Amino acid sequence: MEPKQDQPASYTYAQAGVSIDAGNALVRAIAPLARSTRRAGANADLGGFGGFFDLKAAGFNDPLLVAANDGVGTKLKLAIDSGKHDGVGIDLVAMCVNDLIVQGAEPLFFLDYYATGKLDIDTATAVVAGIAEGCKQAGCALIGGETAEMPGMYSDDDYDLAGFCVGAVERNEVLTADKLAEGDVILGLASSGVHSNGFSLVRRLAADKGWKLNRPALFDQETILIDALMAPTRIYVKSLLPLVKSGKIHALAHITGGGLLENIPRILPDNLHAHVNADAWQQPRLMAFLQAQGNIEPEEMARTFNCGVGMAVVVAAADVADITAALETAGETVHRIGHIAAGTKGCTVTGSSETWSARSDWSATHNG
């Protein structure tokens, strides 16, 4: 008789580190979250190979589609390290939908990409719950997504997020640079914190200065420092959309990486220059704390953080009072922060001595 040979090991996907069961359990957990974001044009049921959207049912006649995608940056690392995953889904949606409204577009549907080393259903569900909440705030439907479990690509607890959003705008309502004019006024809508940019610097400061993230913030004894840093990005869509449709808004700039200095020029034609007066609004205490901790120059603040303004709104001088009142009624905090003048395309931010902790009058310019 032949000697009995040992049976070769039988490999499974689970042994390789990927759990099909966990993935299926996650889909079951998040299906009701997706359904909660339904809107006209989308019935938001997960599980197919793609998501449908009916533009006619959403009420559009001659629409242009506008698409945006983004991530949350290294704010995710802070979420992972602190175990605070609730808000980053809102950040993910905010970074995309705020980029759509500045084109004049209404966000319609959203898809997310969640990649991790080992799928933790509780963490993933918390993240997707935040995404659903962000979609509700923005009025768009979560119609699909991708969850990728990739052992060896990420450490077990690490995950990464990407968001993709599609919006639509009637052809005659698109916000373009030709609406801007010399003498227009720049209004600033207050941010809710650091939003989702500058966190590599925030994390470097936290490490170098030994911040106790789970203790009350030095600048606000009522708030835990990690909560102040992780505050979700404000979504400006619902307050701005009616005003965009009215034709009264000339331009919008979402203040993300690059700050006021580099984002406002993106909406300008070649012959206009934006002038922002940093004396015009109170620097938030969180921003003052970051600046003091890092001994950051005002010019660097202007190109790194939003400095308290998450969205710039450009309107005709005659419309300032009406637009301000409408935005305040919609729940925004509005500052009059500058104006548009003839000049080379760009932005100049100026401040007096003591504004943003400056030792003398200062000015920072970005052309292009």
Side-chain angles (χ1 to χ4, degrees):
M1 277 181 65
E2 290 282 326
K4 190 176 176 186
Q5 291 185 314
D6 285 340
Q7 197 75 12
S10 177
Y11 282 74
T12 66
Y13 211 7
Q15 282 171 338
V18 178
S19 171
I20 299 291
D21 291 341
N24 290 337
L26 177 65
V27 171
R28 285 194 298 274
I30 65 178
L33 296 171
R35 276 197 295 276
S36 75
T37 68
R38 284 180 167 173
R39 53 151 292 153
N43 30 7
D45 269 327
L46 300 187
F49 288 94
F52 285 96
F53 192 91
D54 184 343
L55 275 169
K56 252 195 173 48
F60 286 90
N61 298 313
D62 183 22
L64 296 173
L65 292 179
V66 190
N69 75 311
D70 213 331
V72 182
T74 57
K75 189 173 188 176
L76 276 189
K77 194 63 181 159
L78 213 49
I80 292 161
D81 291 346
S82 65
K84 291 191 173 291
H85 307 284
D86 302 358
V88 290
I90 298 175
D91 284 305
L92 185 69
V93 176
M95 297 308 289
C96 295
V97 298
N98 286 341
D99 277 355
L100 291 182
I101 189 67
V102 301
Q103 323 278 335
E106 175 185 350
L108 300 176
F109 59 89
F110 190 90
L111 299 99
D112 68 284
Y113 174 79
Y114 180 103
T116 184
K118 184 170 176 54
L119 187 57
D120 181 305
I121 295 173
D122 290 344
T123 298
T125 303
V127 171
V128 178
I131 293 171
E133 171 58 26
C135 286
K136 284 192 273 195
Q137 288 181 23
C140 65
L142 175 60
I143 65 170
E146 165 70 0
T147 304
E149 193 173 29
M150 300 194 284
M153 284 284 286
Y154 298 90
S155 300
D156 277 1
D157 294 335
D158 281 348
Y159 64 89
D160 199 8
L161 284 178
F164 308 85
C165 196
V166 173
V169 55
E170 296 290 4
R171 198 176 295 270
N172 62 343
E173 291 174 6
V174 178
L175 290 183
T176 52
D178 58 5
K179 287 187 167 66
L180 288 157
E182 191 177 345
D184 280 356
V185 170
I186 307 170
L187 302 175
L189 305 187
S191 62
S192 53
V194 187
H195 284 188
S196 221
N197 293 97
F199 273 91
S200 294
L201 179 52
V202 171
R203 288 173 50 249
R204 171 63 63 87
L205 285 173
D208 290 356
K209 304 295 179 182
W211 294 350
K212 296 195 168 37
L213 294 170
N214 57 351
R215 302 286 288 281
L218 291 175
F219 53 88
D220 182 359
Q221 290 297 301
E222 303 295 308
T223 305
I224 302 298
L225 179 54
I226 187 67
D227 292 339
L229 295 172
M230 295 299 294
T233 305
R234 187 164 180 81
I235 291 174
Y236 299 99
V237 170
K238 286 189 175 174
S239 53
L240 288 171
L241 199 55
L243 295 170
V244 168
K245 289 180 183 295
S246 76
K248 292 264 180 93
I249 287 180
H250 291 182
L252 295 168
H254 183 202
I255 309 306
T256 55
L260 290 156
L261 203 55
E262 295 186 11
N263 282 290
I264 294 178
R266 295 165 67 177
I267 60 173
L268 299 174
D270 288 340
N271 62 334
L272 293 178
H273 194 91
H275 295 267
V276 173
N277 175 16
D279 298 352
W281 75 98
Q282 189 80 36
Q283 186 188 38
R285 287 178 295 177
L286 169 57
M287 295 291 164
F289 167 75
L290 293 173
Q291 185 175 10
Q293 289 282 300
N295 195 26
I296 304 169
E297 294 295 335
E299 297 87 345
E300 184 67 15
M301 289 294 291
R303 66 162 51 87
T304 303
F305 296 113
N306 64 57
C307 298
V309 173
M311 183 72 75
V313 183
V314 185
V315 300
D319 292 328
V320 167
D322 288 349
I323 297 276
T324 299
L327 286 168
E328 287 177 344
T329 300
E332 302 296 347
T333 300
V334 186
H335 309 287
R336 183 169 176 156
I337 65 169
H339 66 279
I340 305 291
T344 308
K345 177 180 178 177
C347 179
T348 299
V349 181
T350 54
S352 305
S353 174
E354 295 185 22
T355 296
W356 296 5
S357 305
R359 288 177 288 280
S360 59
D361 292 355
W362 58 274
S363 176
T365 297
H366 175 81
N367 290 322

